[in-house]
Each structure stands twice: as structure tokens, then as C-alpha cells.
Amino acid sequence: MSVFFLAPPGVGPGALAPDVVHRELTRFHYYVVAPAGWGPRLRSAQWSDLAVMPWIVTPEDSVHHRLLKGTLEPMGSMPRGVAQVDQEACMLDLVRAGVGLSLARDALAMAERQETGLEIVEGLQLPCALSFVWHQDRQGEPLIAEALEALAGVWAVSPT
């Protein structure tokens, strides 16, 4: 089996799956998005300020959860969850409804700001990478080599 996985750049599944190999395909950022009109609350906000605000949180196995945990836990904090969802569309619906903050991929965050007026917390972003992942026992299989070759045609595949 092979899958796609989201994690901070250079990390891949790491300790979650020590018996897999990963190849990073592309990098992007997650931004903190907030309901329209929250701009004054967010000016000069740091992660510690955001942690005490209401958040739409996600299950522990989601990239949103892992990214926020990796940022806030070292500060002795975690987001103040007021709702938990597992679909990006639902997260954005709740942000639009004024429930709280969430993370959104860069392109999605920019589109939401332009189309619906959602706020983006300036200066705070979380880097992320999309990786192709496969079990180490399959390293030499032609199918894996073919998949990597096909993916290289779509993304500038970086070695890891």
C-alpha cells in the first residue's frame, strides 16, 4: 500500500510509522483563518494569544491537529476547542458562521479572504509538506518506481 501524507517539511510520518519511506512532493503553508470582523482581535496576535481564543479543532490523526500541537504544546498550551470536525468544508462553514479560528491551506485561505471576507492572521503560518509514503519492504518494486516517476511529472519531487 502507498498513500499521501501531510506533515511538517522533512518529517513525513516519522514515529507514527517508522517502517515506511516517504518522498516529499511539494510544500505549502497553513494559515490561521478567523471570522470576518475579527481583524482588530488579531492584530499583533501571537500563538499564545490565539490559543485562548475559540478554535474549530480536528481529530488527533489530522494534519491540522498535529501542526497546532507541534506549535502550541512546547509553549505549554493547546487550542481552546469549541467544536470538532473532520472535514475542511465544515471547518470553513463554522469559521464563516463566527464560531472560531481554524487552519486552512494557503490557497484556500486566500480564496476565502477574497470571496467571503474571512480574516487571515498575518505573520503566523505553519509550513507543511505533501509526501508520498510506502512501506520500506516495497522500496524496490517497479510499481513504486513508476508512481514516483509519474509524480515527478506533476510535482518537483524532492529527495528525502
Side-chain angles (χ1 to χ4, degrees):
M1 179 167 73
S2 54
V3 298
F4 293 98
F5 192 79
L6 294 168
V11 174
L16 296 174
D19 54 348
V20 302
V21 179
H22 76 280
R23 180 75 53 84
E24 204 169 275
L25 301 175
T26 191
R27 292 180 179 190
F28 54 95
H29 288 89
Y30 274 91
Y31 288 91
V32 178
V33 292
W38 281 32
R41 295 175 69 181
L42 304 173
R43 279 189 191 66
S44 305
Q46 299 300 310
W47 285 108
S48 57
D49 303 316
L50 298 178
V52 298
M53 293 182 182
W55 278 85
I56 293 101
V57 295
T58 57
E60 286 187 18
D61 61 348
S62 78
V63 68
H64 296 92
H65 179 87
R66 288 181 280 117
L67 290 171
L68 276 176
K69 181 178 178 179
T71 299
L72 296 175
E73 193 173 59
M75 298 177 206
S77 197
M78 283 302 282
R80 185 172 69 88
V82 295
Q84 182 176 3
V85 299
D86 62 359
Q87 297 291 318
E88 240 176 4
C90 294
M91 294 165 59
L92 291 171
D93 285 343
L94 289 172
V95 175
R96 282 187 223 108
V99 174
L101 305 171
S102 185
L103 293 179
R105 286 173 287 123
D106 47 16
L108 187 56
M110 299 303 164
E112 286 293 326
R113 177 168 60 186
Q114 185 74 8
E115 296 168 15
T116 67
L118 290 188
E119 304 278 353
I120 294 176
V121 179
E122 297 298 330
L124 298 181
Q125 55 198 17
L126 299 173
C128 193
L130 172 67
S131 293
F132 180 65
V133 178
W134 64 95
H135 195 276
Q136 64 188 6
D137 293 345
R138 298 188 64 202
Q139 181 68 24
E141 288 184 15
L143 185 59
I144 297 298
E146 289 173 25
L148 290 171
E149 185 176 323
L151 290 168
V154 177
W155 285 296
V157 179
S158 60
T160 52

